[in-house]
């Protein structure tokens, strides 16, 4: 789905790595007090290229392209803070 998730839900969040296409979350928005915190993650292209024997169920998009899309979604949510978790 890739939509934001306020509150509970998947713990795995990635803008560019897809494990279960129907359940993937590209970003998440949490409310803490009166603040909205947007969270996304990314696997850098260099590290993605190092992966061997990738199962067919795992899909990886280019990091820059995927982050651009996730940023637009987080901007639309009007987050007070944005956190990027990067393995780059």
């Amino acid at each position: 789905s890739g939509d934001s998730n306020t509150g509970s839900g998947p713990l795995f969040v990635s803008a560019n790595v897809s494990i279960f296409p129907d359940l993937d979350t590209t970003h998440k928005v949490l409310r803490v007090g009166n603040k909205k915190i947007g969270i996304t993650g990314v696997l850098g292209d260099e590290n993605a290229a190092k992966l061997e024997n990738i199962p067919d169920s795992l899909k990886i998009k280019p990091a820059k392209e995927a982050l651009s899309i996730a940023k637009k979604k987080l901007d639309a949510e009007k987050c007070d803070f944005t956190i990027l978790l990067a393995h780059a």
Side-chain angles (χ1 to χ4, degrees):
S1 63
D3 293 332
S4 69
N5 186 332
T6 54
S8 64
L11 296 176
F12 180 78
V13 177
S14 178
N16 70 325
V17 177
S18 174
I19 298 174
F20 305 108
D22 294 337
L23 302 174
D24 288 342
T25 302
T26 60
H27 66 288
K28 188 170 190 163
V29 177
L30 301 175
R31 189 169 287 280
V32 178
N34 63 347
K35 301 292 182 188
K36 288 173 76 174
I37 302 172
I39 303 168
T40 190
V42 69
L43 176 64
D45 295 334
E46 187 175 315
N47 285 317
K50 293 178 186 177
L51 295 177
E52 297 178 14
N53 302 321
I54 300 173
D56 290 340
S57 61
L58 184 67
K59 306 292 183 211
I60 303 172
K61 297 177 186 173
K64 186 175 180 179
E65 173 186 321
L67 279 175
S68 176
I69 294 167
K71 181 184 181 320
K72 288 177 185 173
K73 291 179 180 180
L74 289 169
D75 288 348
E77 296 269 2
K78 299 186 185 320
C79 296
D80 297 293
F81 300 98
T82 304
I83 298 171
L84 171 62
L85 307 170
H87 186 73

